[in-house]
Amino acid sequence: MTFFMFRRLTALMVTLLVASLLIFLLLEILPGDPAAVILGVGAQEDTLRALRAELGLDLPAPVRYLNWLGEVLQGNLGRSYTYDTPVQELLLNRVELSLPLALLAILLSTGIAIPLGVFAASRHRKVADTSIMGFAQLGVAVPNFWFAILLILLFSVKLGWFSAGGFAGWDAGWFPAFKSLVLPAVALALPQAAILARVTRSSVLETVQEDYIRTARAKGLSRSQALWRHAVRNALIPVVTILGLQLSFLLAGTIIIENVFYLPGVGRLLFQAIAQRDLMVVKNLVLVLAATVVLINFLVDLLYAVLDPRLRLGFHG
Amino acid sequence: MDRKRFQEIWEDGLHHRSFVAGGILTVLMLSLAILSLIWTPYSVFTMNIAGKLQPPGELHWLGTDHFGRDVLSMLMVGAWNSMAVSLAAIGLGALIGIPLGLTASARKGWIDEAVMRFNDFAFAFPALLTAVMLSAALGPGSFNSIVAIGIFNIPVFARLTRGSSLSLFQRDFILAARIAGKGTTRICAEHILPNITSVLIVQATIQFALGILAEAGLSYLGLGTQPPQPSWGKMLSEAQTMMFFAPNLAILPGCAIVISVLGLNLLGDGMRDILDPKMRTRE
Amino acid sequence: MIQLKSQLKKFGLIFVAMLIGAFQSQAAKTHLNMGMVLEPPHLDPTAGAAAAIDEVVYANVFEGLTRINRNGEVLPALAKSWEISEDGLKYTFHLQSGVKFHDGASFDAYDVVFSLERAMAEGSVNAQKALFKPIAKVVASGNQKVVITLKNPTGHFLFNLGWGDAVMVDQGSSATNKSKPVGTGPFVFKRWVSGDRVELGPNPNYWGEKPALKTATFKFIPDAAAAVAAIMAGDVDAFANFPAPEMAGQFKNDSRFSVVEGSTEGETILSTNNQKAPFNDLRVRRAIAHALNAQEIVDGAMFGYGTPIGTHFAPHHPAYVDLKGLYPHDPEKAKALLAEAGFPNGLKATLKLPPPTYARRGGEVIQAQMAKVGIELELIPVEWAQWLDQVFRNKDFDLTIVSHTEPMDIGIYTQRYALMGAAQAVIAQDAVNGYLFQLAKLGIWNSNLSGLWENSPVQANDLTEVSWK
C-alpha cells in the first residue's frame, strides 16, 4: 500500500509539472501584449517597456517559467492585470459560487441517477427499464447549454419561478443564493445523471451475475433484497470512478453554463480572463483547476484501492 | 470478417431495436449532410434581409433566419460541418491513440506507465478548457476545434486499444506468430488490430457523437466553425436573443444535435451488443 | 392542541403581515436594478477612463463642482454659484455648506484644492489630464470659497469641471476609491461582487435634495441573450444601453417595457488598411465602397436601429463630404473597378471583428455583400485586447469595423477619448472608408420607471431623478 501510494504521488507530481509546462507554453504563443492591454491605446513606448520590466515580461522564457513555479510553490498566485487584485482573492470569491454549484449538480445527478439506475436494473427489460434507459439516451444527447436555454425560457420567462441568471450571494441569506443555483445545477446535472444512470444500471446487472449474489439468493433472499443488500454496494465502485471522471466534465460544463446564466463563477472568470489576456489569472487558474482534477482522481484511485485490494499491486485495467 | 459472419451480424442487427433506430437516425443525418455537398434548397451564403425571420412555410420549409437565409439549408450544411469536424477529430485521436495503446501493451514497462500517465492527464483536462485556450492562442476555427477535440480522443483510443490487446498478447496464436519470427509491428498489424477492430468501431461511433456535442459547444462559444459557414452551435447562440419571436430558430438546431447524437449513441450501443454478445446483458 | 392553534394563529398573523409588507414595498418601490454590458475595472473615475466607471458612480456616488444634466447643460453641484472675472481667467466658486463625504469627513475648499491638484500633478493617473491643463493655480479662500486661475481663457471650463474625471475626493479616502469609493453623492457605495454587481445604498446625510430611489444595484451582464432573459424575467429593471436591437420590436409590443431610442456619437465605419497591397490602390478601396450597402447592414445587423451615414465627421477633405453621393451601392461598378485594378477574378482579404454585435453581425453582412463582387472575406473575430494590439498598434489587418466612439465596449481596456483619437487616426490614414451607420442608443426599461436619460451627453447613469410610478 505504501509503495502504491508513493508511486501514485510521484506520478501526481510529474503530471502537475507537465501540466504547468504545457500551460506556460500555450500562453507563450497567445497573441496580445499584457502591458499594452493594461495601459491602453494612449501608452507611450517607454511606459510600456517600464511596465513589461515591472511585470517581469522582459526576462527569457525559461527564467519566467521557473519564477512562476517558485511563486506558485510559495502559494502566491500573482495579481490580476484587469482587476488589480490578488488572483487568490478572485478565485476564492468565485469558488464560493462554483463549488456549491458543482456539489449541487453532483448531488442532483447522483440523487436521481443511482436510484433510477438500480430501479431500471431491477426491472431489467421491462417497460420501466426501457423507458428509463430511453430517457437516459436522450439526456446524453442533449447539449447542456441548449437545455439551459430551454430551462430559462420555461422557468424564468414563462413561469417566473426562478431568475434568469445572476447570483444573489450568500450574505443575502442561503435561500436566495440557493435559488439562483437551482437552474444552472439542473442544466449541469442532466447529462451527468443520464450517464450515471446507465453506468449504475449496467454495473448492477453485472454484479447480479456474480456468484455471491447467486449464493445470497440461494440462501433465500428475494431478488430485490439480494439486489439492494449486496449488489448495489458492490456496483457503486465503478460508479465512484465515473463520478471522479465526471468532475472534469463538470468543470468544462461550468464554463458554458456560467456564461448562459451570467454567474460570477470560476468558469466565467477563466473565459473572461482569456478574452482579456489576463495571463496572470489564466495560467494560475488553469493550474489550480488541473491540480484539483488530478488530486480528486488520485483520491478516487485511493478509495478504489481501499475498496478493491487487487488494485494495490499496481494493476490497472 | 468473412461474408457469413457479416450476414449473421446483419441479421442480428435487424432484430436489435436500438441498432435499427440508431441506424435510421444516423443514416438520415448523414445523408442530409452528404446531400448538402451537392444540393441545398437555397444557398447558405446569400442573404435576403428583406425576407428575414420568416416562419416555416411553403417556400422555406423550416423558415428563414435573421439574415433571411434558409434554415433547412443551413441545418444541412451545418450537419456536414459538424460531422466533418467530429470525424477528423476521431481520425486524429485514432491515428495517435491506437499506436500508443499498441506500443503500451506490447512493450509494457515504463512506456506503458508513461502512456497511462499521459492518458490520466489528458482525461483530467477538460476538453473544452483545452479548446478554449487553444483557440485563444491560435484563433478560432474548424481546424483548431479538430485539434482540441482530437486531443481528447487520443487517450480514449489509447486506453481502449491497450485494454483490449493486453490479453491478446497472451494468446497462443500470437505466441505462434512470435515463434514464426514475426516482429511486433507485423503482429500488431496482422493479428492484434483485426481482432480489436469491432471494439474500436463501436468506440469511434460513441466518440463521433461526443465530437458533435463538443463542436456544438465550441461553436456556441464562438470558437468553432466560423461564418459564413453555418454550424449548429452558432445557430443556437444567434437564435438565443430571438427565441421570443422566432422560437424555431432556437429549437431546430438543438433538435438536429439531439437527433444526430442520439442516433449515433443508439447505433454504437446496438453494435456493441451485436458484435460482443458477452456485453449483451449490460444493455 | 390549544398551543398548536395559537401557533397557527401566530403564523397566520406573520403571513398576513408579510403580505401587507409585500404590498407596501410594491406601493413605494425605492430600489432599482440597472443592467450594464461591461463591468468597470475599478470605481475611481479620477483614475481611469473606462466609461463603465462613470456609468456606475457619476452623479450617484461622486460629484464635482459642476454637473452635466441630461441635455448636456452645466448645472451647479458642489459649487452653488460662481463668478468669472472679465478676462475669463479667474473663477471664484462658492461651495455648498454642510457637505460631508460618505465616511463622515467634511467637504470644504481644501478638498477642492486637493482634488484638482491631485488630478493636475506630474504623476497623476487621471485619464483626462488635458481638462486640467489650463489651470494655473487653485487657492482656497476660507472654507467655502475657491479661486481657480487659468493660464488662458477656456470656453468649456465649467463643462469640463462637470466631467467624471473632475469629481471631488477626500484626501483620507482617495487612495482606496478604486475598490471603496467615497464621495459626496446621494448614494453610498455598499459593495462590489466582482463579475456580478455593484450595490449602492442611501446617503442619509446628503446635502441636496434626496432622490426618490434609496438603493440601486448595477448588474453586469456581458451576454446579449442573458440580458434579454434578465430583463424579461424582471431581474433587471432597466438597460440604458441594450445590447440586442433585435428584441426592440418585442419590447415595444409589451406594455411592461418602455423602449427609448436615443442617439450616440458612434459612427460605425469599415476601415481599410491603405498601407497594405492591394488596398493601397484607390480603385480597390473605391470598389469596396461601391460594394457596400449601408441600409442593408443596418437592417441586417441592427434590425433597423441606426442611421446609414454618408457624411464625414471631418469635412476638411473635399472627397469626404458626402460618401453616399460619391459611392452609391453599385456592385457592377465595383466589379469594373476591381478588374481595372488588376483583379478581374476578385481577391481575398481578412476582416477583423471586435466583439460588439454591430461588428460581428455587421461583418457577416459585409462578407456577403463583398462576395457578390468577388471579394472573398475571411472573418476573424478578435477580442478587444487583440484588436488593440494587432489592428490598432501594429496595423496588422486588411479591413476592420470600428465605431467612432464606442465607450461601452472598449472602455475596460482603453481610454475612451484616446480611442476616439485612435479611430480618427485609423481613418485619417485611409483615403476612403466604408461608412456604415450611426449607432443608436437603445434604452429599455420598466414602463413604471421615469427619470432615466434618453441620450448620453456624458457617459452616466444619473439616478438622482429616477423614480417608480
Side-chain angles (χ1 to χ4, degrees):
Chain A
M1 192 68 196
T2 330
F3 177 64
F4 172 79
M5 285 263 308
F6 176 75
R7 258 192 40 184
R8 271 353 260 292
L9 264 176
T10 326
L12 185 121
M13 291 302 162
V14 173
T15 311
L16 283 180
L17 209 64
V18 173
S20 69
L21 193 63
L22 281 181
I23 294 164
F24 185 80
L25 289 177
L26 202 57
L27 293 187
E28 277 299 290
I29 51 174
L30 208 64
D33 176 5
V37 173
I38 294 171
L39 291 176
V41 275
Q44 301 295 312
E45 200 46 54
D46 55 334
T47 332
L48 278 172
R49 223 176 297 125
L51 186 65
R52 274 191 218 114
E54 196 189 310
L55 296 172
L57 291 171
D58 53 344
L59 299 168
V63 178
R64 271 181 292 137
Y65 176 65
L66 290 177
N67 281 349
W68 176 45
L69 276 196
E71 290 283 316
V72 170
L73 286 177
Q74 288 167 39
N76 182 5
L77 299 182
R79 260 184 115 73
S80 157
Y81 296 154
T82 37
Y83 285 115
D84 197 26
T85 31
V87 176
Q88 277 110 311
E89 218 172 274
L90 280 177
L91 182 63
L92 282 178
N93 277 338
R94 304 305 180 96
V95 162
E96 231 176 73
L97 180 147
S98 293
L99 191 67
L101 178 61
L103 287 179
L104 195 61
I106 287 183
L107 212 70
L108 260 174
S109 66
T110 47
I112 296 167
I114 293 178
L116 273 184
V118 176
F119 180 67
S122 74
R123 295 284 161 134
H124 191 204
R125 302 216 162 155
K126 299 212 175 95
V127 182
D129 180 25
T130 331
S131 39
I132 289 173
M133 284 307 108
F135 273 111
Q137 280 284 13
L138 201 65
V140 176
V142 172
N144 58 7
F145 55 91
W146 187 55
F147 187 54
I149 296 170
L150 298 181
L151 283 177
I152 294 177
L153 200 55
L154 180 63
F155 289 104
S156 341
V157 176
K158 283 257 147 65
L159 298 173
W161 292 355
F162 296 95
S163 65
F167 184 54
W170 292 107
D171 44 353
W174 71 271
F175 186 69
F178 171 78
K179 215 176 133 192
S180 44
L181 292 182
V182 171
L183 287 189
V186 171
L188 273 174
L190 175 90
Q192 317 280 83
I195 295 168
L196 263 188
R198 285 162 57 99
V199 172
T200 311
R201 174 179 170 277
S202 50
S203 113
V204 169
L205 284 179
E206 210 164 280
T207 17
V208 169
Q209 309 278 312
E210 297 201 9
D211 291 342
Y212 62 95
I213 300 290
R214 294 197 183 146
T215 320
R217 287 210 61 188
K219 280 196 328 210
L221 288 176
S222 77
R223 192 187 146 84
S224 68
Q225 274 174 322
L227 193 80
W228 285 102
R229 269 193 216 164
H230 297 278
V232 171
R233 250 192 60 196
N234 288 294
L236 283 184
I237 299 173
V239 173
V240 168
T241 322
I242 295 290
L243 260 178
L245 271 181
Q246 282 198 335
L247 197 95
S248 77
F249 288 98
L250 210 63
L251 278 177
T254 51
I255 297 182
I256 291 191
I257 293 297
E258 285 177 358
N259 266 306
V260 177
F261 289 95
Y262 61 102
L263 295 171
V266 177
R268 212 177 92 193
L269 178 66
L270 183 66
F271 195 66
Q272 282 178 338
I274 291 174
Q276 297 168 1
R277 294 296 175 277
D278 194 338
L279 302 189
M280 204 50 118
V281 172
V282 177
K283 64 182 179 186
N284 288 300
L285 207 57
V286 173
L287 189 65
V288 170
L289 289 181
T292 317
V293 174
V294 172
L295 211 75
I296 285 176
N297 281 333
F298 171 70
L299 291 177
V300 168
D301 271 1
L302 277 192
L303 196 69
Y304 210 61
V306 172
L307 291 172
D308 190 345
R310 276 174 299 174
L311 287 175
R312 282 178 221 164
L313 303 173
F315 169 85
H316 25 237
Chain B
M1 202 182 288
D2 58 71
R3 223 189 136 88
K4 199 172 151 239
R5 170 102 174 96
F6 183 78
Q7 200 155 13
E8 261 176 45
I9 289 174
W10 183 244
E11 273 163 24
D12 266 11
L14 288 183
H15 294 289
H16 195 286
R17 263 188 302 178
S18 67
F19 179 80
V20 173
I24 290 173
L25 293 180
T26 307
V27 167
L28 175 81
M29 294 313 283
L30 263 177
S31 36
L32 277 181
I34 292 167
L35 179 64
S36 80
L37 293 179
I38 46 171
W39 178 81
T40 49
Y42 295 85
S43 162
V44 292
F45 304 121
T46 359
M47 295 182 177
N48 170 22
I49 288 168
K52 70 181 170 196
L53 300 171
Q54 289 175 40
E58 238 169 78
L59 280 176
H60 298 275
W61 290 359
L62 299 179
T64 59
D65 78 345
H66 58 292
F67 289 143
R69 292 173 296 190
D70 181 56
V71 172
L72 176 62
S73 309
M74 291 186 71
L75 286 177
M76 286 169 67
V77 182
W80 172 256
N81 285 336
S82 141
M83 288 181 173
V85 166
S86 185
L87 274 176
I90 289 173
L92 185 71
L95 226 59
I96 301 174
I98 295 174
L100 269 182
L102 286 174
T103 322
S105 60
R107 293 277 151 85
K108 308 256 176 55
W110 69 269
I111 294 183
D112 188 16
E113 184 67 24
V115 169
M116 292 314 287
R117 283 307 123 230
F118 166 74
N119 270 352
D120 285 354
F121 176 66
F123 257 127
F125 226 64
L128 195 73
L129 197 64
T130 324
V132 169
M133 289 187 51
L134 257 181
S135 61
L138 309 174
S142 307
F143 179 76
N144 295 322
S145 341
I146 292 173
V147 173
I149 303 170
I151 287 176
F152 180 68
N153 279 334
I154 296 172
V156 175
F157 282 104
R159 185 173 284 205
L160 186 71
T161 308
R162 176 184 173 277
S164 26
S165 54
L166 261 184
S167 58
L168 284 175
F169 275 106
Q170 318 294 324
R171 299 269 287 274
D172 292 343
F173 68 97
I174 302 288
L175 280 178
R178 277 247 160 90
I179 291 163
K182 288 187 183 174
T184 314
T185 321
R186 255 186 87 187
I187 290 178
C188 283
E190 288 174 18
H191 301 286
I192 305 282
L193 266 182
N195 271 297
I196 61 172
T197 315
S198 56
V199 191
L200 288 177
I201 288 176
V202 171
Q203 192 62 45
T205 316
I206 306 287
Q207 293 310 115
F208 194 3
L210 283 177
I212 288 176
L213 275 179
E215 199 277 336
L218 284 177
S219 310
Y220 175 78
L221 290 176
L223 305 172
T225 311
Q226 292 299 314
Q229 286 294 338
S231 72
W232 293 340
K234 183 161 186 293
M235 287 173 81
L236 269 180
S237 75
E238 282 172 348
Q240 238 181 304
T241 52
M242 302 171 206
M243 63 185 174
F244 301 97
F245 49 90
N248 58 320
L249 290 183
I251 289 167
L252 291 170
C255 291
I257 297 171
V258 172
I259 292 173
S260 330
V261 175
L262 186 66
L264 284 166
N265 279 342
L266 287 173
L267 187 70
D269 287 356
M271 283 196 324
R272 189 173 56 206
D273 285 0
I274 297 159
L275 294 171
D276 188 357
K278 269 184 302 181
M279 306 277 282
R280 181 164 292 190
T281 48
R282 287 192 171 196
E283 292 300 324
Chain C
M1 198 59 206
I2 295 164
Q3 213 179 355
L4 187 74
K5 240 183 191 165
S6 76
Q7 280 278 339
L8 273 176
K9 229 182 198 166
K10 223 188 208 164
F11 275 121
L13 278 177
I14 291 170
F15 184 66
V16 170
M18 269 166 66
L19 270 182
I20 293 170
F23 277 116
Q24 272 176 343
S25 70
Q26 202 81 43
K29 210 167 162 189
T30 56
H31 179 76
L32 176 75
N33 286 316
M34 168 73 90
M36 282 172 56
V37 172
L38 274 189
E39 177 172 14
H42 61 79
L43 295 171
D44 184 354
T46 66
I53 302 173
D54 285 342
E55 283 170 0
V56 172
V57 298
Y58 183 77
N60 301 326
V61 176
F62 287 109
E63 295 169 309
L65 290 177
T66 62
R67 54 172 287 187
I68 298 161
N69 75 353
R70 62 176 71 227
N71 302 320
E73 296 154 352
V74 182
L75 298 181
L78 289 173
K80 61 183 174 200
S81 62
W82 50 79
E83 291 117 35
I84 309 171
S85 67
E86 295 219 343
D87 56 1
L89 289 178
K90 213 164 115 189
Y91 284 70
T92 309
F93 291 95
H94 301 279
L95 305 182
Q96 294 282 359
S97 52
V99 178
K100 280 194 161 32
F101 282 99
H102 299 152
D103 60 359
S106 60
F107 166 78
D108 56 32
Y110 298 96
D111 292 305
V112 180
V113 176
F114 169 75
S115 298
L116 293 179
E117 281 183 346
R118 174 172 172 262
M120 290 154 57
E122 188 66 30
S124 156
V125 286
N126 196 297
Q128 303 302 331
K129 275 182 168 172
L131 295 180
F132 311 101
K133 276 245 166 72
I135 300 178
K137 62 178 191 232
V138 185
V139 180
S141 160
N143 276 343
Q144 302 300 321
K145 206 163 96 184
V146 177
V147 180
I148 300 178
T149 315
L150 302 186
K151 294 172 193 153
N152 39 339
T154 309
H156 291 298
F157 187 63
L158 287 172
F159 186 88
N160 290 351
L161 284 180
W163 282 43
D165 307 86
V167 296
M168 292 296 121
V169 297
D170 183 45
Q171 189 158 14
S173 52
S174 61
T176 52
N177 275 342
K178 280 187 174 182
S179 55
K180 245 183 117 287
V182 172
T184 56
F187 295 96
V188 298
F189 167 79
K190 287 270 272 291
R191 70 181 188 138
W192 180 7
V193 181
S194 82
D196 191 42
R197 65 186 188 275
V198 166
E199 291 171 7
L200 304 182
N203 175 7
N205 303 319
Y206 186 53
W207 59 269
E209 194 187 330
K210 285 186 184 151
L213 289 178
K214 288 208 157 53
T215 53
T217 302
F218 290 90
K219 288 196 179 205
F220 312 118
I221 307 176
D223 184 63
V228 170
I231 202 158
M232 290 285 275
D235 294 348
V236 296
D237 305 311
F239 246 104
N241 274 301
F242 195 68
E246 58 269 36
M247 278 298 289
Q250 183 79 4
F251 287 123
K252 273 184 184 159
N253 292 333
D254 192 330
S255 61
R256 290 178 296 162
F257 304 106
S258 302
V259 178
V260 181
E261 208 183 325
S263 60
T264 69
E265 305 302 309
E267 282 160 343
T268 310
I269 56 163
L270 176 71
S271 180
T272 319
N273 188 351
N274 72 337
Q275 293 165 5
K276 202 173 158 184
F279 306 103
N280 51 5
D281 187 330
L282 182 66
R283 287 168 297 192
V284 173
R285 298 198 299 271
R286 284 172 57 200
I288 291 174
H290 279 300
L292 284 176
N293 179 349
Q295 185 61 49
E296 194 183 58
I297 298 167
V298 171
D299 290 343
M302 307 310 288
F303 281 70
Y305 286 88
T307 319
I309 47 171
T311 20
H312 197 279
F313 63 95
H316 54 267
H317 199 299
Y320 292 172
V321 174
D322 192 343
L323 197 82
K324 243 185 192 160
L326 270 178
Y327 301 102
H329 175 56
D330 188 348
E332 286 315 310
K333 188 150 186 208
K335 275 188 209 162
L337 278 165
L338 278 181
E340 204 182 298
F343 299 97
N345 303 317
L347 56 95
K348 286 185 179 186
T350 60
L351 171 56
K352 290 197 170 165
L353 303 172
T357 312
Y358 69 74
R360 292 280 166 92
R361 231 190 253 156
E364 285 189 66
V365 182
I366 290 171
Q367 186 182 42
Q369 289 175 355
M370 292 299 148
K372 281 187 190 153
V373 302
I375 300 175
E376 193 186 316
L377 286 185
E378 185 196 345
L379 302 185
I380 303 178
V382 290
E383 300 298 335
W384 279 121
Q386 284 162 290
W387 189 87
L388 285 173
D389 193 34
Q390 298 175 357
V391 179
F392 178 69
R393 291 189 70 82
N394 294 319
K395 303 281 176 283
D396 173 20
F397 73 106
D398 295 341
L399 296 160
T400 190
I401 298 180
V402 66
S403 197
H404 208 158
T405 36
E406 184 47 7
M408 215 169 75
D409 295 285
I410 224 162
I412 199 159
Y413 298 106
T414 176
Q415 311 188 338
R416 72 192 145 183
Y417 296 99
L419 183 89
M420 204 163 117
Q424 282 179 27
V426 171
I427 298 157
Q429 292 154 8
D430 299 346
V432 174
N433 278 294
Y435 289 94
L436 306 177
F437 55 88
Q438 188 106 14
L439 278 179
K441 172 183 176 291
L442 187 63
I444 294 190
W445 48 78
N446 191 304
S447 47
N448 290 326
L449 270 177
S450 60
L452 281 159
W453 287 13
E454 288 172 13
N455 302 312
S456 299
V458 288
Q459 291 302 323
N461 288 312
D462 182 344
L463 302 179
T464 52
E465 291 171 347
V466 178
S467 64
W468 288 93
K469 270 175 211 151

